[in-house]
Amino acid sequence: MRAAPGPPVNSYERDHEAVRRLLVSCRPAVPPGLAARAAGRGRRLLRVRRTLRALGWALLAAAVVAFCVWAALTEPWAVHPHDTAPPLEGW
């Protein structure tokens, strides 16, 4: 003879029983227009991300151009003239 099922013994069984009760119970109704609102929000998020990505690439391109202009004007790779340091005499 089997004993009647009693209360769950451990946390796994309690969680399992809670999920089973949720699945058996009736489900709440979905608000009308929820899918349309979610799709609209998704489109807005994509548009914002696309805009931010384009602005980031434009800023990176502007920084590269500014660096190239600065490097062309100042020529940091050129050898400095010898008169920038005092002459070393008496060594």
Side-chain angles (χ1 to χ4, degrees):
M1 178 177 265
R2 269 185 140 169
V9 177
N10 58 24
S11 65
Y12 174 78
E13 290 178 5
R14 277 192 301 270
D15 293 342
H16 191 69
E17 186 63 31
V19 168
R20 181 172 292 154
R21 278 193 310 265
L22 283 174
L23 291 175
V24 170
S25 66
C26 64
R27 296 183 182 128
V30 176
L34 180 65
R37 286 190 316 224
R41 184 170 186 229
R43 281 191 295 273
R44 282 191 303 276
L45 286 174
L46 283 176
R47 189 171 40 242
V48 166
R49 287 180 187 165
R50 215 176 280 138
T51 303
L52 288 176
R53 190 178 301 125
L55 286 174
W57 280 110
L59 183 63
L60 179 65
V64 167
V65 168
F67 176 77
C68 290
V69 168
W70 169 80
L73 292 176
T74 59
E75 297 180 358
W77 58 85
V79 178
H80 297 290
H82 294 296
D83 60 346
T84 58
L88 294 174
E89 297 177 0
W91 269 85

